Amino acid sequence: MSSIPYTAEPIHDDETLADLRIHIQGKTWHLWGRNGREREAGLADAVQDGDLPVLLGAGLGHCLARLLERGLPVAVVDRERGLFELTGALDQKGEAVCLHVDDPDPALALRRLDEWQAAQGGRPLTPVILPLYQRLDRAYYGALAQTIKANATTDFWSRARYPKFRSHAPRVLFFDSDYFLCREILAALDRLGVAHHTLPLLNRETGSGEFIEGLLKAVIDFRPDMVLTVNHFGLDREGKLAGLLDELGLPLASWFVDNPHLILFDYDHPGADNTVIFTFDAGNLDAMNDRGFRHVHYLPLATDPGRFRQDAGAAPPEWNAEVSFVGSSMTGPVKKCLGLSGLPASRTREYEEVAGDFGRSGETSVARFLKAERPDWLDTIDRLPRREQRLATESLLTWEATRQYRSACVRATLPFSPLVVGDDGWTNLLHGSNARLLPNLDYYADLPRFYPRSEINFNCTSRQMKGAVNQRVFDVPACGGFLLTDHREQMEDLFDLDREAAVYRTVEEIPGLIERYLADPGARERISQAAARRIQAQHTYEIRMQRLLEVMRRTFA
């Protein structure tokens, strides 16, 4: 069935189906109306005798009948069972000359058409498009139409399955979701001189029909060596696009800059051997292997030296502060996930306590924590009827644990009248305190100028990370600021903690360390500049992209 729900209303004239009215999302379309015989027949007459017509939708059957009368072999792509059972359009097809394709996966449908074309002597395929079917499911019928058009002069699959990674510089097809890191990746590819083609993603999770058409066209025209995306954006949960990339022999690199478990929850991912997972948190490596991905690599965050630099420009005086913190209060995500979870009242009264225990446990997997400590909660989650509710509940516990931890850390800075930049949630959390509050600042336009205006930039990391560091660890020193951050296990592989970082290991240490570094500007300067030198040498996005591309080359060349 199509991806858009619809209802069909047959209209009969003297016991003959004269019109089929299709109601889609409040609008009515006709298939084809009372003049349908002539209109469908006109589509058939446009097909040349030497072609292999592929009818995208059976319609009322007039076009199919006309093509069969001419003795042409015909393929009909139509998975709208409710429609063709009403019209009887496929009842007349001759099995010897007509192929009915109803595979739900476009890649499988293309495979069947490819085999049928070969059996018919390899003549060019000609799409015959009934417009209504594009409205029913553009991601399916539109993608097939685009591919068949590309197939008009030569076999699509032979053109698509070209050798990869044969030149020194790989060609990258980038799924641009405009999420965090996308601009940094594109800037790094530009500076490295790597040829790339961008496909915009209007819907971050699943590509639209136009996106699929653009992908197939780019495969033929741009001939990429690989696809790159962030956080699996563009990949559908059913695994259709992953399967298509595998069929195309086009390797996928997916760089996770958030917890992959919260993203890949209930994902189906065929062609896992065609995919390389990169994760910003080394603590996720084993979990990704357990999900069936053989190629999993640690790739931490970094900074964009073109944006975060020490001459980023002037800043307004209200940004000046002894101590500042930039970040979400997490009250918004907690409220949203609580509403989506559909938890029973008994559990909504407990979630703050359970989340606090989870945060203090050091475990990053909610499921593993609940299995060990609160199996009653795990049973409740498993009983929730919808996948979205189960995911929302796991996210709820993660974000509430982060909210509690972050609130405790920021409260420890209150003796120093901190400047807190973030969402409205801080207003309630810090009500009555001496903190100054500012609304969110723009990451690209403001933060490179903001960080140097604080004597101490304070940082505390989300509980979704086991031992990884967040973006501020790189950005603040890169633009000349000093950072006090919570200790993370993976920092020890990135910095010399004796010379290049200032860290606290418990909330109780925060006030003493702030007091110490406020009194020692020389120490702040030495640590900040040492960290900046390390970042320029080892932790820029150009360096990360070089690493990613080299891994892809070694894996698939």
Side-chain angles (χ1 to χ4, degrees), residues 205-206 231-232 235-239 263-269 291 387:
E205 184 170 314
T206 305
N231 279 1
H232 240 51
L235 280 293
D236 55 283
R237 294 185 180 277
E238 295 75 22
I263 298 167
L264 293 179
F265 189 91
D266 280 1
Y267 259 73
D268 186 17
H269 195 102
R291 288 190 65 92
R387 172 184 56 80

Side-chain angles (χ1 to χ4, degrees), residues 479-512:
C479 58
F482 172 80
L483 184 77
L484 175 62
T485 186
D486 45 354
H487 176 265
R488 313 298 294 166
E489 179 183 328
Q490 291 160 37
M491 282 190 72
E492 298 176 9
D493 296 324
L494 302 169
F495 296 96
D496 180 344
L497 297 192
D498 294 328
R499 299 176 51 255
E500 300 169 344
V503 301
Y504 61 92
R505 297 172 188 268
T506 67
V507 174
E508 291 73 22
E509 290 181 313
I510 294 171

Side-chain angles (χ1 to χ4, degrees), residues 165-187:
F165 295 99
R166 292 298 180 92
S167 62
H168 174 72
R171 300 171 68 81
V172 177
L173 181 60
F174 181 56
F175 293 175
D176 186 3
S177 58
D178 198 29
Y179 188 64
F180 162 67
L181 213 67
C182 287
R183 298 186 199 181
E184 287 80 356
I185 288 173
L186 290 172

Side-chain angles (χ1 to χ4, degrees), residues 310-417:
Q310 299 191 21
D311 59 346
E318 59 266 28
W319 288 2
N320 295 341
E322 284 190 334
V323 179
S324 70
F325 171 77
V326 178
S328 170
S329 70
M330 303 309 295
T331 56
V334 167
K335 182 179 180 180
K336 179 181 178 180
C337 290
L338 182 60
L340 292 173
S341 68
L343 286 170
S346 60
R347 295 306 186 200
T348 61
R349 290 191 293 268
E350 296 179 337
Y351 81 88
E352 292 179 346
E353 175 189 351
V354 174
D357 292 341
F358 167 62
R360 288 184 291 272
S361 72
E363 175 62 77
T364 56
S365 167
V366 171
R368 285 197 298 266
F369 167 76
L370 295 179
K371 183 177 181 180
E373 303 295 336
R374 293 298 301 264
D376 56 325
W377 260 76
L378 188 60
D379 182 64
T380 296
I381 293 176
D382 289 341
R383 291 176 181 271
L384 292 173
R386 293 186 294 112
R387 172 184 56 80
E388 291 79 8
Q389 291 176 280
R390 298 191 292 275
L391 176 59
T393 302
E394 290 207 25
S395 299
L396 169 67
L397 296 179
T398 300
W399 302 143
E400 173 60 20
T402 299
R403 188 199 67 78
Q404 293 180 24
Y405 172 67
R406 187 164 286 179
S407 176
C409 289
V410 172
R411 283 186 172 277
T413 72
L414 292 180
F416 306 94
S417 303

Side-chain angles (χ1 to χ4, degrees), residues 63-85:
C63 183
L64 175 60
R66 187 68 157 258
L67 291 169
L68 293 176
E69 287 171 3
R70 291 171 55 188
L72 293 175
V74 184
V76 182
V77 179
D78 193 330
R79 58 178 188 156
E80 314 307 321
R81 180 171 296 277
L83 293 186
F84 62 69
E85 286 182 351

Side-chain angles (χ1 to χ4, degrees), residues 136-150:
L136 291 178
D137 195 341
R138 186 170 182 82
Y140 182 76
Y141 296 103
L144 289 173
Q146 184 68 35
T147 305
I148 293 168
K149 289 175 184 177

Side-chain angles (χ1 to χ4, degrees), residues 437-451:
L437 303 181
L438 282 180
N440 284 313
L441 296 176
D442 184 84
Y443 176 78
Y444 296 103
D446 296 332
L447 290 186
R449 297 181 297 128
F450 176 86
Y451 289 143

